[in-house]
């Protein structure tokens, strides 16, 4: 695995973790719409981290979703 792929993977996982924490906080405050939004981004960044390990990257959400 290339170093840049590993760095991108770790970066995406860090973003995913932040989104998940935000989703939990928003859910606890009963802001379900925003919690769902942050949950979506959590999953999105997790998928990007997996793809990064393979050296695959997309600039748009649609590309990530279609490939996955």
């Amino acid at each position: 695995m290339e170093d840049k792929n590993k760095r991108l993977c770790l970066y995406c996982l860090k973003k995913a973790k932040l989104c998940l924490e935000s989703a939990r906080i928003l859910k606890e405050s009963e802001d379900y719409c925003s919690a769902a939004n942050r949950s979506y981004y959590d999953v999105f960044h997790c998928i990007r981290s997996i793809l990064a390990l393979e050296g695959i990257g997309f600039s748009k959400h649609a590309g990530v979703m279609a490939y996955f």
Side-chain angles (χ1 to χ4, degrees):
M1 172 184 359
E2 289 185 35
D3 237 16
K4 70 177 184 171
N5 294 351
K6 185 176 178 180
R7 284 194 307 271
L8 180 57
C9 174
L10 294 174
Y11 171 76
C12 289
L13 286 175
K14 183 178 179 180
K15 288 183 77 167
K17 185 177 178 181
L18 290 172
C19 288
L20 182 59
E21 183 57 32
S22 294
R24 286 184 184 138
I25 292 166
L26 290 162
K27 180 188 72 86
E28 288 172 6
S29 68
E30 299 182 4
D31 184 354
Y32 301 115
C33 185
S34 297
N37 176 274
R38 293 293 89 199
S39 296
Y40 165 84
Y41 276 96
D42 171 46
V43 173
F44 173 74
H45 291 302
C46 285
I47 293 170
R48 283 190 67 215
S49 72
I50 293 167
L51 296 178
L53 292 176
E54 299 297 319
I56 300 167
F58 296 93
S59 62
K60 298 188 181 208
H61 291 238
V64 172
M65 291 187 296
Y67 186 85
F68 189 73

